[in-house]
Amino acid sequence: MSAGGGTAQGGESLLFLTDEQLRKGIEAMFFAYRGFTADPDRILESHAYGRAHHRAIHFIHRQPGLTVNTLLSVLGVTKQSLNRVLRTLVEDGLVDSRVGRRDKRERHLYLTEKGAALERELSDAQRARMRAAYRAAGPAAVAGFRQVLEAMMDPDLRRYFQMMKDSGA
Amino acid sequence: MSAGGGTAQGGESLLFLTDEQLRKGIEAMFFAYRGFTADPDRILESHAYGRAHHRAIHFIHRQPGLTVNTLLSVLGVTKQSLNRVLRTLVEDGLVDSRVGRRDKRERHLYLTEKGAALERELSDAQRARMRAAYRAAGPAAVAGFRQVLEAMMDPDLRRYFQMMKDSGA
DNA sequence: CTTGGAAAGTCAACAAGGCTGACATAAAAT
DNA sequence: ATTTTATGTCAGCCTTGTTGACTTTCCAAG
């Protein structure tokens, strides 16, 4: 492999990180992300939705009943941007927006059956690729993959991610 | 399904991949990519460029003298889309577009000094985050990270990526 | 030499999905 | 009663992607 470390073997050599090795990592990230979104993108196109809809659907599925504000900060977009997407999803009957019981200003978001069906279609495709990649790389690689990804996140998102990791499953 | 192979060795029975675990991987990818692009995005904004410019600059740096057509297929966009970006880069004196010697229809792309300077600024920032993530995760994790990323790429891009890996450094 | 086709560039029009700013409403908090 | 918060909405702008049509340049095959 391309590890320029030289002296040591058995993975230790990778601590010696040249700019070139880091550049390879950057490029790998770029290409992999393209692959990562390719399958859902194809499905979304046939439904006349975009990546923005996918992201909203994903996180509503992940955390049913979350408020618009929470979704906003997780996605990192403006409310105007999210609202455009959310409105079409509600109009098309994929998402249910319910007024809060305690605080009636809040809207809590849920997937309808139809929404859950699309979510399944999308994540099935994405999981298939992820599963194939995991299998090709092996269990040790998977653990490393997740560690590096977590370390690359912005602290706020990492905190959210780790929180969801504990509660979620 | 995903081969429940893992009689847990080393504590990691990660071969047993539940849909929930895969979903976590998907989410990690999403959040990590956000972090990955955050620093360059900030720099680009101050130069009035976008991510598209960054990508062009990156690959021209990587493979000086590549043709527009090659760049096109690496980036995976239309020539009209690329041309808009490329034109501003040439106009602003960051990229040099030279008519081919053998085939004068082709344009070979090079970074000027000014272009190389911006490339350095961008990739320094991106490498800093990558380096920090690598250091936090450790050498074994880095190897796994790269393996999974490669496995996630579309075959064409994986071939290109591996080719550049050999020649590049 | 002529011509077909590839490589590149350009113009126009359009869409998705970001953004900002301004403003409206209802409900909670003070 | 007033202010703040959560949400929604209108209008307009930017980047970056798309398609389609057309031109210019130039290699290569007839």
Side-chain angles (χ1 to χ4, degrees):
Chain A
M1 75 178 302
S2 65
T7 51
Q9 20 71 299
E12 291 299 332
S13 63
L14 281 172
L15 263 187
F16 194 65
L17 296 166
T18 67
D19 281 2
E20 256 315 289
Q21 289 174 314
L22 290 165
R23 216 183 282 271
K24 297 274 173 48
I26 289 168
E27 219 159 280
M29 195 69 187
F30 171 65
F31 287 140
Y33 199 77
R34 283 256 292 281
F36 171 71
T37 55
D39 303 324
D41 281 355
R42 265 188 294 275
I43 294 169
L44 288 159
E45 200 174 355
S46 74
H47 290 261
Y49 290 126
R51 239 178 248 184
H53 300 87
H54 184 188
R55 291 196 284 264
I57 287 172
H58 171 95
F59 286 104
I60 295 172
H61 167 90
R62 195 85 167 82
Q63 204 178 338
L66 87 176
T67 66
V68 171
N69 235 0
T70 305
L71 184 52
L72 229 42
S73 55
V74 170
L75 293 176
V77 297
T78 59
K79 64 173 179 173
Q80 294 92 331
S81 221
L82 174 59
N83 200 253
R84 182 165 38 196
V85 162
L86 224 39
R87 201 183 342 168
T88 72
L89 290 176
V90 170
E91 278 169 6
D92 296 355
L94 301 187
V95 167
D96 200 5
S97 170
R98 305 183 202 154
V99 172
R101 258 193 328 112
R102 265 185 17 207
D103 186 334
K104 291 177 192 163
R105 288 171 305 179
E106 295 178 341
R107 305 300 147 91
H108 297 269
L109 305 169
Y110 300 87
L111 293 185
T112 63
E113 248 321 301
K114 200 173 157 193
L118 178 56
E119 194 284 329
R120 233 172 287 125
E121 191 183 352
L122 290 166
S123 69
D124 278 355
Q126 207 158 29
R127 275 201 301 270
R129 185 183 289 250
M130 189 71 75
R131 190 180 288 116
Y134 276 12
R135 243 201 304 242
V142 169
F145 171 70
R146 292 271 238 98
Q147 278 181 277
V148 174
L149 287 190
E150 276 195 47
M152 262 176 51
M153 296 177 194
D154 272 338
D156 279 4
L157 286 175
R158 179 159 56 241
R159 265 191 295 279
Y160 172 82
F161 179 77
Q162 288 170 345
M163 198 187 71
M164 292 309 293
K165 188 163 64 175
D166 298 341
S167 81
Chain B
M1 228 2 203
S2 60
T7 36
Q9 19 100 286
E12 312 280 357
S13 67
L14 281 171
L15 266 185
F16 194 67
L17 296 166
T18 66
D19 281 2
E20 255 315 290
Q21 286 174 314
L22 290 164
R23 216 183 282 271
K24 297 272 173 48
I26 289 168
E27 219 159 280
M29 194 72 187
F30 171 64
F31 287 140
Y33 199 77
R34 283 256 293 281
F36 172 71
T37 55
D39 303 324
D41 281 355
R42 265 188 295 274
I43 294 169
L44 287 159
E45 201 174 354
S46 75
H47 290 260
Y49 291 126
R51 240 179 246 185
H53 301 87
H54 183 189
R55 291 196 284 263
I57 287 172
H58 171 96
F59 286 104
I60 296 172
H61 166 89
R62 196 86 168 79
Q63 205 177 337
L66 87 176
T67 65
V68 171
N69 234 3
T70 305
L71 184 52
L72 230 43
S73 56
V74 170
L75 293 176
V77 297
T78 59
K79 64 173 177 175
Q80 293 91 331
S81 214
L82 175 58
N83 200 255
R84 181 168 34 198
V85 163
L86 225 39
R87 200 183 344 168
T88 72
L89 291 175
V90 170
E91 278 170 6
D92 295 355
L94 302 187
V95 167
D96 201 5
S97 169
R98 305 184 201 154
V99 172
R101 259 193 330 112
R102 268 184 17 207
D103 187 335
K104 292 176 192 163
R105 288 168 303 182
E106 295 179 342
R107 305 299 146 95
H108 298 268
L109 304 170
Y110 301 86
L111 292 185
T112 63
E113 249 321 301
K114 200 173 156 193
L118 178 56
E119 195 285 329
R120 234 170 288 125
E121 191 183 350
L122 290 167
S123 69
D124 277 356
Q126 206 159 30
R127 275 201 301 270
R129 185 183 290 250
M130 188 72 75
R131 190 179 289 115
Y134 277 12
R135 247 204 296 252
V142 170
F145 172 69
R146 291 272 239 98
Q147 278 181 278
V148 174
L149 286 189
E150 275 194 48
M152 262 176 50
M153 296 177 194
D154 272 339
D156 280 4
L157 285 175
R158 178 158 58 240
R159 268 191 294 279
Y160 171 82
F161 178 77
Q162 287 170 346
M163 198 186 71
M164 292 309 293
K165 187 163 67 176
D166 299 340
S167 81

